[in-house]
Amino acid sequence: MQVLTTIQELKDFKKSLIHQDTLGLVPTMGALHKGHQSLMQKSIQQNTHTIVSIFVNPTQFGPTEDFNKYPRTLEKDCEICQKLGVSAVFAPQITEMYQKEDEITLNPPKSMGYVFEGFVRENHFNGVLQVVLKLFNLIQPHFAYFGQKDAQQLLILKRLVQDMFLPLTIIPCETIRDADGLALSSRNIYLSEEERTIALEIPKALQKMETLFKQGCNSSKELIAQAKTCISHVELDYFTITDYNLHITSTPKHNEAIALIAGKVGKTRLLDNLWF
Ligand code: AMP
C-alpha cells in the first residue's frame, strides 16, 4: 500500500493504474473505526483499487468547533487500511489541499444546506463541498463511498454529483453500530462512561421509531412524540422526519424518508438517523 502525501505522488499513483481498472474512493477524516472500514470493504469488493483519503478538513469546522482536538491517528489508520487491502492512502497537508488564501467556494442548495446540521454548524456544508470536489477532481474515482450515518452530507453530495454532472457514482453505505446500538463515530472517544450511557438514548429512540413504523404508524407527529419519550438527558438540537430533499414530511414512506436526530451529551455532539 502506498501512502501519498502530495498531489504529485497522487498523480504518479494514478498513472500506474491500467485503463480498465476501476477506482473507489473512501473520503475520511481519519481516526478510522469499523464504520469507515465497512465503506472501505465495500469499495475493495467492488473495485480494482481503493484509495482512502485521510484529511481533517479545516473549512468544514466552525471557529468554536473541535478542529484542533479532532483525533489524528495516521499511523494506526494506515495499518488498518493496509490490512484491509487498500491500494493507497492519500493524506495531504492542509497547504497541499488549500494553496491560496481566498479560494472559490461552493454553496449547497439553500433548502438542504442551511437546515439541521447546516443551521447548527454555519457553513459546514460549504466546506464539505469544497473539499470533496477537490478530492473528486484530484482522484477521479469511478465510485465514492459515503456513510448513511451522515445523511444530510450524503444527500447534499449526491446533489453535487448531479448538479455539476460529475462523472462518478456515489455509493451509500449503512451505519455501523457498537453492540449497544451507538452509531460508531470518531467523536465517541470524547464521551465519559456516564455520557456514553446517556448517548444510548439516541439509538433507543430511533429503534422505537422504527418498530412503530413497522407496526403501521406513519404519522411523523406520533412517531416523534413516542420516540422522544426515550430522550431525557440528551440536549436535542433537532429530531425530525424529512424526505430525501430534506423537506419535513408528515407521513414518512418506506424508502422515501429519514428521521434525523442530533444533540449534545456534555460537550460532544452526536448525530444519528433512521432510513425508513
Ligand atoms: P468522517 O471521518 O467522520 O468524515 O467519516 C468518513 C465517512 O465515514 C463518511 O462518509 C461517514 O458518513 C462514514 N461513517 C462515519 N461513521 C460511520 C458509521 N458508524 N457507519 C458507517 N459509515 C460511517
Side-chain angles (χ1 to χ4, degrees):
M1 186 187 80
Q2 297 190 42
V3 180
L4 318 166
T5 58
T6 65
I7 290 170
Q8 189 53 53
E9 284 168 1
L10 178 65
K11 283 184 178 159
D12 293 343
F13 167 78
K14 288 274 302 171
K15 266 191 219 142
S16 73
L17 304 183
I18 301 169
H19 181 65
Q20 37 313 15
D21 286 352
T22 63
L23 183 59
L25 166 66
V26 182
T28 80
M29 298 204 298
L32 301 180
H33 52 63
K34 294 241 160 66
H36 299 116
Q37 290 177 45
S38 75
L39 271 56
M40 288 151 61
Q41 275 159 339
K42 199 162 180 176
S43 173
I44 289 164
Q45 259 172 26
Q46 296 181 345
N47 295 283
T48 330
H49 292 286
T50 289
I51 180 159
V52 173
S53 63
I54 298 180
F55 182 64
V56 185
N57 173 39
T59 65
Q60 71 189 68
F61 286 78
T64 60
E65 291 180 2
D66 58 345
F67 175 71
N68 285 322
K69 87 168 194 179
Y70 196 85
R72 288 161 171 89
T73 56
L74 185 60
E75 212 171 303
K76 197 167 146 230
D77 291 347
C78 288
E79 274 171 31
I80 291 172
C81 292
Q82 177 150 32
K83 270 197 195 129
L84 285 181
V86 166
S87 302
V89 164
F90 178 52
Q93 295 294 317
I94 294 176
T95 46
E96 194 73 7
M97 290 299 278
Y98 294 99
Q99 302 191 355
K100 305 219 171 46
E101 286 266 309
D102 181 24
E103 293 200 348
I104 288 178
T105 53
L106 291 165
N107 296 324
K110 287 188 191 67
S111 59
M112 297 179 87
Y114 302 94
V115 290
F116 314 126
E117 277 313 279
F119 182 75
V120 179
R121 306 183 66 186
E122 203 185 344
N123 291 329
H124 170 67
F125 291 112
N126 307 58
V128 170
L129 286 168
Q130 190 177 20
V131 77
V132 170
L133 185 59
K134 281 174 187 269
L135 289 169
F136 285 172
N137 282 332
L138 285 169
I139 296 168
Q140 299 180 9
H142 299 87
F143 299 95
Y145 296 77
F146 290 92
Q148 288 183 324
K149 157 89 171 29
D150 297 286
Q152 191 172 0
Q153 168 175 282
L154 172 63
L155 294 168
I156 291 173
L157 290 174
K158 279 190 157 182
R159 281 290 301 271
L160 172 70
V161 169
Q162 281 170 19
D163 292 1
M164 298 296 165
F165 309 109
L166 301 182
L168 63 101
T169 305
I170 287 192
I171 309 288
C173 303
E174 71 181 48
T175 300
I176 305 299
R177 297 174 182 281
D178 259 331
D180 57 11
L182 190 66
L184 294 181
S185 160
S186 305
R187 290 191 168 96
N188 290 353
I189 55 158
Y190 300 152
L191 295 168
S192 68
E193 211 174 303
E194 195 189 335
E195 286 173 337
R196 200 186 153 96
T197 311
I198 294 172
L200 294 180
E201 290 177 3
I202 292 176
K204 281 182 189 148
L206 291 174
Q207 237 162 30
K208 181 161 193 170
M209 190 178 260
E210 184 171 30
T211 306
L212 287 170
F213 181 72
K214 285 189 172 155
Q215 286 168 353
C217 175
N218 73 343
S219 149
S220 294
K221 207 170 156 194
E222 183 63 17
L223 288 165
I224 292 169
Q226 289 294 328
K228 271 193 175 166
T229 63
C230 299
I231 307 276
S232 49
H233 293 88
V234 175
E235 260 178 76
L236 279 186
D237 282 330
Y238 55 82
F239 192 4
T240 190
I241 298 178
T242 75
D243 63 19
Y244 291 174
N245 292 313
L246 298 173
H247 297 147
I248 290 174
T249 173
S250 53
T251 50
K253 294 185 187 64
H254 180 53
N255 281 336
E256 288 181 22
I258 21 173
L260 302 169
I261 184 168
K264 266 180 129 180
V265 179
K267 286 190 171 152
T268 308
R269 271 196 88 238
L270 297 169
L271 202 64
D272 206 340
N273 53 64
L274 167 69
W275 294 69
F276 286 95

